[in-house]
Amino acid sequence: IGRASILLVVPASSNLHSMQDFVKTDRELTYAHAGKVSLSYLAFESMRHNLNKKFIGVSYPGSGKMLIDLVEGRVDLGIMHVSDVSQYIAKGLLRPLAAFSDTRVPELPGVPTAKELGIKDGVVYSHYLLVGPKSNAKADIEVVQSVLTQSLNNSDRSQPIDWRDCKFAPETKDWTVD
């Protein structure tokens, strides 16, 4: 039902300030991933082949500890969802080097795409599917469908709608998004 952009990020303390720095470095880099079938692992493996780089993968059971180790500089690189890292970028704790999307992420217009930088297979998205029990009430399903439709049809946003932006309109008995 939807997709999310992902970013290549480094700790703020990193000496990698741009994707060009990353491409030029001959140092063996560590990268955080969420297992050998995760999006981050597959994206790094693709980059490793395309750029002829040596990476050391560090597997995590989820993004929480991965973020801590990235912010603290215990690993050199991470590929994560924009929504997971945006607050750390805003606080200056992480630095984005590239987006793995067709176009630049609207919230980060200064961050180039991997595709712009010549990285073959540099477009990778995380896709989401919403499922629920068959016993859900039809009215509840219609509310969810309405909010999702509005979110997916809003080309100004690269991330899902925040629940705090949703308002119930009693006159139409429908949800709207600010």
Side-chain angles (χ1 to χ4, degrees):
I1 61 168
R3 66 183 187 184
S5 298
I6 59 172
L7 295 173
L8 173 64
V9 294
V10 297
S13 60
S14 174
N15 61 355
L16 302 174
H17 295 279
S18 67
M19 196 64 179
Q20 289 81 359
D21 292 342
F22 167 70
V23 171
K24 287 179 190 173
T25 189
D26 57 359
R27 182 168 75 86
E28 194 169 65
L29 300 169
T30 57
Y31 74 92
H33 68 82
K36 291 200 174 189
V37 295
S38 69
L39 189 59
S40 53
Y41 175 79
L42 297 172
F44 270 110
E45 284 301 298
S46 177
M47 277 198 308
R48 182 176 69 78
H49 288 303
N50 282 304
L51 300 174
N52 195 26
K53 292 278 184 193
K54 291 188 179 180
F55 296 129
I56 299 169
V58 181
S59 185
Y60 291 86
S63 61
K65 177 86 169 93
M66 192 184 312
L67 275 167
I68 293 168
D69 284 355
L70 269 167
V71 168
E72 294 296 320
R74 293 185 197 113
V75 289
D76 297 310
L77 306 157
I79 292 181
M80 301 187 74
H81 297 107
V82 172
S83 58
D84 288 339
V85 296
S86 59
Q87 65 181 322
Y88 299 95
I89 293 169
K91 292 178 183 175
L93 300 171
L94 292 176
R95 182 181 316 118
L97 299 185
F100 285 82
S101 49
D102 287 314
T103 60
R104 291 185 180 207
V105 175
E107 298 89 346
L108 298 165
V111 178
T113 67
K115 189 169 126 181
E116 282 177 71
L117 299 166
I119 295 179
K120 184 181 172 199
D121 303 324
V123 177
V124 181
Y125 287 101
S126 179
H127 290 81
Y128 292 91
L129 175 67
L130 184 65
V131 296
K134 197 174 184 177
S135 62
N136 277 340
K138 185 173 168 71
D140 294 341
I141 294 169
E142 288 171 354
V143 166
V144 171
Q145 183 60 47
S146 173
V147 171
L148 288 173
T149 299
Q150 290 176 57
S151 176
L152 295 172
N153 289 328
N154 184 345
S155 62
D156 293 335
R157 298 175 88 118
S158 64
Q159 299 307 306
I161 289 179
D162 189 306
W163 66 270
R164 292 168 290 216
D165 294 339
C166 299
K167 308 276 186 278
F168 187 73
E171 63 279 359
T172 61
K173 295 185 170 90
D174 200 1
W175 287 85
T176 61
V177 180
D178 288 341

